[in-house]
Amino acid sequence: MTSYDLVLTGGHVIDPETGLDAVRNVGISGGTVCAVTEAPLTGTTTVAVPGLVVAPGFIDLHSHCHDVAGQRLQALDGVTTALELEAGVHPVGAAYDRAATEGRPLNYGFSTSWAVARMHVLAGARATGELSEFFANIASPEWQRPAARPDVDRILGHLEADLACGALGIGVVVGYAPQIDPSEYLAVAALAARHGMPTYTHARELVELDPHTPIDGAEEIARAAGETGAHMHYCHLNSTSLRQVDRVHQLVERVRQEGSRVTTEAYPYGAGMTGIGAAFLAPELLHRRGLTPHSIGYLATGERVTDADELRRIRQQDPGGLAFVHFFDEEDPAEFEFVRRAMTFTDAAVASDAISPLWRTTPRDPLLWPLPTDVVSHPRTSGTFGRTLRVLVREQGHLSLAEAVRRCSLVPAQVVEAAAPAMRRKGRIQPGSDADLTIFDPAVVSDRATYAETIRPSVGFRHVLVGGEFIVRDGELRTDVLPGRPVRAA
């Protein structure tokens, strides 16, 4: 009889690709799922998981967690692969090298960053492969201005070099430079199409928010998909579409029917987070989104901004400082409905927009665990997937358990797998698939992080395996292992 490194017995196995949704035993060896069967299996280690769901490891398409601390919080939320795709990094080689040298709890990967390449070309910003360079230059008017064609070509050259180095596509945060010429966005999409890569877009303003926008943000994505043939991924559609979510969904549905590939993602929170110097958080523009200065919470102090003068002062002193942006009242069912629609739209992936924790006063030590009480983040870093399972599945019933698992695993894998064939082995539980597994109690699983206690880990995730190795065992984080591996384009 074959013996496996690890056997999981009696779990409720959900494989979104084949539709398997039944009690099975799973045999794992060498970091790979080797058997999924009703028959008894023998293993060096056997773990009984009756009553627990055995799901493919959750894949986060939108994680800005570039350190061990942030990824540990995500591991306790069921994540096994955390990808930086919306903002991206430049150059990607430096980011991959840094992650490999430091080690990561989760699998990791990066798109190339249009924004940082643009900052480098137009504003002389450093290109280090770190997300901090984006936030450091977020408010610079130089990089936000329209660019002449020779400069656009230089930007495209940097992006193309990163694609050759294994980038998983192109991150295009055009919403942070909303006055650029639409032709530049089309040129970026055309570059992605030539390389068979997706783009991951933070859309610019919708026309309802800014009648003078050079192009409606949703129409821009749809147009690029149709004209270039690129796969356009629409990032955090909930926070960029707001109350126009139905109109944006109708547009996406239409272009899909016409043969274009446009995919979407969303997270289950009413507040976003970004650098407080972002263009759309200028005091004179807040009314477009129905916001006031008090809608913004400055993460460094934990306090809401009192008025426009204070907002201007913080934006000038700390433009890259992280800030909550409270778009919707999550306790108001009518407002949360907009979030719910984005989350349950056809084939929308669950994606967190997680951010590496901020160390307020304690000297930063990303290997320290548990994290000190003065370390903070957005609750979505710790709780996106647990919250999805609690609210949308168990409490409200908007998604079945199997469908929620699909949106947390297979759907995001399919967004990236054309760029990175290794993703075809993730998001599934089948012989030959990677042993990235999330095992949880469906009656208990839940988020616990709040806007007041932002880094409380989720509960109910009993075991999480990355490449066949436990990173969470019996609900406890293992701090002695860093099993994450890179995901790169072929």
Side-chain angles (χ1 to χ4, degrees), residues 411-474:
V411 169
Q414 291 174 329
V415 169
V416 185
E417 64 187 27
M423 294 302 290
R424 295 172 186 153
R425 299 191 302 273
K426 300 186 187 297
R428 292 103 164 150
I429 302 181
Q430 306 163 19
S433 63
D434 290 345
D436 298 337
L437 301 176
T438 294
I439 303 164
F440 62 91
D441 185 339
V444 174
V445 67
S446 177
D447 59 313
R448 295 193 305 153
T450 67
Y451 295 106
E453 297 181 272
T454 61
I455 60 168
R456 294 183 72 195
S458 292
V459 294
F461 291 100
R462 297 299 301 160
H463 309 290
V464 178
L465 293 89
V466 175
E469 187 162 15
F470 287 98
I471 184 67
V472 176
R473 179 90 183 256
D474 295 320

Side-chain angles (χ1 to χ4, degrees), residues 66-260:
H66 291 200
D67 64 2
V68 171
Q71 287 200 0
R72 282 174 170 169
L73 290 172
Q74 291 209 276
L76 288 163
D77 197 37
V79 177
T80 58
T81 300
L83 305 177
E84 167 65 86
L85 301 179
E86 177 234 23
V89 293
H90 175 66
V92 294
Y96 278 111
D97 289 346
R98 184 179 304 110
T101 299
E102 296 175 357
R104 293 289 182 265
L106 309 180
N107 302 315
Y108 55 89
F110 309 93
S111 70
T112 180
S113 175
W114 165 83
V116 175
R118 207 171 199 276
M119 291 170 174
H120 179 63
V121 169
L122 298 181
R126 296 187 308 157
T128 64
E130 296 190 38
L131 185 64
S132 58
E133 291 306 316
F134 169 70
F135 283 116
N137 295 279
I138 193 172
S140 167
E142 283 301 303
W143 87 272
Q144 298 176 38
R145 63 178 172 82
R149 186 67 210 194
D151 285 333
V152 171
D153 289 340
R154 290 175 60 202
I155 294 165
L156 296 177
H158 286 290
L159 302 180
E160 191 156 27
D162 273 350
L163 293 176
C165 195
L168 300 174
I170 305 174
V172 195
V173 288
V174 68
Y176 289 86
Q179 296 303 310
I180 70 155
D181 194 296
S183 65
E184 181 176 341
Y185 184 86
L186 281 176
V188 173
L191 173 64
R194 289 196 298 274
H195 286 265
M197 295 288 178
T199 67
Y200 311 94
T201 299
H202 177 131
R204 73 169 97 204
E205 303 283 49
L206 299 179
V207 70
E208 291 90 347
L209 302 181
D210 179 9
H212 304 294
T213 182
I215 184 173
D216 176 81
E219 291 283 355
E220 181 167 44
I221 293 172
R223 172 192 175 193
E227 292 194 13
T228 70
H231 170 189
M232 310 299 293
H233 183 71
Y234 206 134
C235 294
H236 48 34
L237 188 142
N238 53 305
S239 63
T240 51
S241 299
L242 299 177
R243 289 167 176 79
Q244 308 304 320
V245 65
D246 289 341
R247 195 266 288 178
V248 174
H249 283 161
Q250 289 168 7
L251 175 61
V252 172
E253 287 178 337
R254 190 191 79 214
V255 298
R256 285 175 173 176
Q257 291 171 1
E258 293 170 351
S260 294

Side-chain angles (χ1 to χ4, degrees), residues 271-282:
M273 176 168 279
T274 190
I276 201 167
F280 49 84
L281 294 184

